[in-house]
Structure formats: C-alpha cells, structure tokens
Amino acid sequence: HMYGAYVAPSIRGVSSNTTSVGLCSNVAFVLDGVYQPNQIGQLMDLPDIESVQILKGPQGTLYGQNATGGAIVITTLSPQFHWEGKTSVSYGNFNDTAVKGYVTGPISDKLAQSVSVYYQERDGFRTHAVTGERDSGLDALVIRGKLLFEPNESTAITLSGYYGERDDSGVFSGIPWRGQSIARTEAPELIANARPDTYTTHPTRVRIKPAGGSLNANIDVGMGSLRTTTSYANVKALSASDLDFSLLNVWETHTEESSNNFTQTIDFVSERIGMAEFSVGGFYQHQNADYVPSIVSLYSFPPLIPTTTTYPTPPPAPFGGSYSILKTKKDIYATYAEAGL
C-alpha cells in the first residue's frame, strides 16, 4: 500500500507506516539483485518484468536488512541475441493514457542490448469544492536500458541504467476537519464543507526523480560460481501542500528529499567437493540522505505550485516560516558463510 508517495508493502499483515529519510520498509524490495532502500524511489512502473516473487518473512538470511515482513523480488528481462519487442497502449477514465514498450537485440555476437520505456499521463480526479478546478493529475516516465556482454560461455556481465520522473498531484490533499484550520479566524467564509473526493486547498504536488545504475557479473570459476553486483542510485523528491486548509494562500509546507545509495554484493557458491559444498559472501551499503522540511508564509511569496485560480488577497501580516534540515549517513557491512554435506 501507499503512505503518501512512499511505498509501504505489507506481507501477511506485517508492515510499517513510518516513513522518513534514512528509514526503510520492513519488507525488502530487490530489483535485479539490487536492494532498493528508498521507499519514495520505489514508486515507478516497469514495462519489462520477467518475474515477481513475494516471499513471506523473515527473509534476513537471503536478503539481509529490513526483511522482517518478507521480500519482494523483481527480475526484469535480460537482453537477447535476437531481435524481439513488445508494446502496449491503454486508456481509461480521467483520460488515463499509458504507453509502454520493450525492444532487445544483438549489437555483436558477444554484446546485446535492451531498452524499455513507460509513459503515463492522467487528468486529476478531485475537484475543488468551491472553484470547480481539478488537480493537475499525473505525468510519469521511466526509461531503462541494459547491455549484456558474454565474452565466453562461463561469463555474463550486465550493465543497467535507469531514469524516471513522476509528477503527481493526487497523492494527498487536505480538508479541514469540521472546518477548523489556521486561516479560519481570518476568512471563515472561505472554509468549504467539502466531500472526501474534493479539496479546499490549492493543489498539492509531489515530484520524484529516481536515477541509477548497476553492474552485475556472473562468472563460472571452475570450482564454483562467483556473482558480484555493484549499484548506485540517486533519488530526489519535492512535495508541497497547503497548511492552512483554506482558499487563502497563507501557509504552505515544502519538503525536499535527496538520497544517494551505493551497494556492493559478492557471493561465491562452490561446486560439490566430495560430499561437501559451501557458500560465502559479503554485503556493503553506503547511504547519504538529506531531508529538508520547511513551512513558509505566502503573504510575501507566490505559491510553489502553479494554479489557474485567482485566490483572494490575504490581509496584511508579517512574513513568517520555519526551516530545518535532517541529514543521515549509513554504512552497513555484512558477511556470511555456510557449509553443508
């Protein structure tokens, strides 16, 4: 399920609605062997999915941290040494239009590529209780590319990259409970008696830009198989919403979030040596994240979110606001070894 713009999976009822910079869901999300720690960066569509596994928890032995509730493991299509592709177009109410496609083929006898694209746009589905203005809806884009290098039968190296944009005004909105709001004392006649499918503020908005890449190598070294995965991901998110819950542009809250994540995984699984076999591996993650919430008065500044509605001019008042910044840093190390007969 969703908690605002944050993805909060639930498996067998185990979940968490606690979201902030540096925090992760207790259901691990793994995409093409890469752990995805940033919940707001998981809000994307994938047009080239090969398989999805939903694993009940705990899954800490196989998937490490934050897998108490389980793990969601998604594998996308690998590049092929022959040409193939697929595309689809869908249309729904509120002019919800989605186009997705995938194409793959050889560059040489040892190098293959694939490209996938997803685009969606939709009108807003909520109406302003007083003005009749709709929220601005959704625009989403995801582009992913892969290069597969197979120099011989025992080695496969895959380089992957992706970029996405998501601009959504339907993630959250606000209606003052029983008409109570910060602006009620200044403009009580503007507080609307609204239905749940309406809003009384100026439109809210969440803008998310995830990007990243990974390098994955699978090598048969004779006595076993070696797998190494190196990845980097950056997620930037900006959200803005009305704080006074009225038609007056009095107070607005802005939140900026930026996260950089580097991960390195190495695993070795042996062939059977006599009656025994073993596996050994290690994991490293480094994360830097900034979370900047602020509250500003719009007496002195125009609204961050564009709108076509002309709102009443608020009465003169001094400018006010607050600004803070939260920084987190993580360095996580893990190793394991297992042997059996």
Side-chain angles (χ1 to χ4, degrees), residues 7-250:
V7 178
S10 176
I11 298 179
R12 297 193 303 170
V14 181
S15 183
S16 172
N17 285 339
T18 302
T19 57
S20 183
V21 62
L23 298 182
C24 304
S25 167
N26 57 7
V27 174
F29 179 43
V30 180
L31 176 61
D32 286 338
V34 178
Y35 173 60
Q36 308 291 317
N38 196 304
Q39 289 174 269
I40 202 168
Q42 298 170 12
L43 192 59
M44 67 170 69
D45 295 280
L46 301 170
D48 56 342
I49 291 179
E50 181 179 31
S51 66
V52 179
Q53 300 179 66
I54 309 297
L55 307 177
K56 64 183 181 180
Q59 287 289 335
T61 301
L62 296 178
Y63 296 102
Q65 66 163 341
N66 301 314
T68 305
I72 299 174
V73 182
I74 297 179
T75 302
T76 60
L77 294 167
S78 296
Q80 301 296 312
F81 286 91
H82 61 271
W83 287 101
E84 67 176 60
K86 60 181 180 179
T87 185
S88 66
V89 179
S90 65
Y91 180 81
N93 57 344
F94 298 100
N95 293 316
D96 190 349
T97 304
V99 180
K100 58 182 178 180
Y102 167 80
V103 64
T104 183
I107 298 177
S108 69
D109 60 346
K110 296 182 178 180
L111 189 65
Q113 59 79 35
S114 67
V115 177
S116 63
V117 178
Y118 185 97
Y119 177 75
Q120 181 185 9
E121 63 177 15
R122 170 182 50 76
D123 294 341
F125 53 82
R126 289 175 305 186
T127 304
H128 199 288
V130 176
T131 66
E133 179 186 17
R134 284 191 178 274
D135 65 83
S136 57
L138 171 69
D139 283 283
L141 171 69
V142 178
I143 301 174
R144 291 170 50 84
K146 290 185 179 182
L147 287 174
L148 171 62
F149 178 53
E150 293 186 347
N152 51 57
E153 293 183 355
S154 62
T155 304
I157 301 173
T158 304
L159 176 65
S160 305
Y162 66 91
Y163 174 79
E165 294 183 356
R166 189 178 184 91
D167 194 332
D168 192 354
S169 68
V171 175
F172 58 87
S173 188
I175 297 172
W177 184 71
R178 294 185 178 180
Q180 306 299 318
S181 77
I182 295 174
R184 182 178 178 87
T185 57
E186 297 181 9
E189 70 280 1
L190 298 179
I191 307 298
N193 222 342
R195 304 186 312 274
D197 60 344
T198 63
Y199 63 99
T200 60
T201 68
H202 57 277
T204 62
R205 176 163 289 177
V206 176
R207 299 168 182 163
I208 307 170
K209 291 185 178 182
S214 64
L215 181 65
N216 179 276
N218 289 280
I219 305 171
D220 186 348
V221 294
M223 61 177 296
S225 59
L226 176 68
R227 183 185 66 181
T228 174
T229 302
T230 305
S231 71
Y232 173 79
N234 172 264
V235 179
K236 294 182 179 179
L238 169 66
S239 62
S241 61
D242 200 313
L243 189 62
D244 56 86
F245 295 101
S246 78
L247 292 178
L248 291 176
N249 285 338
V250 181

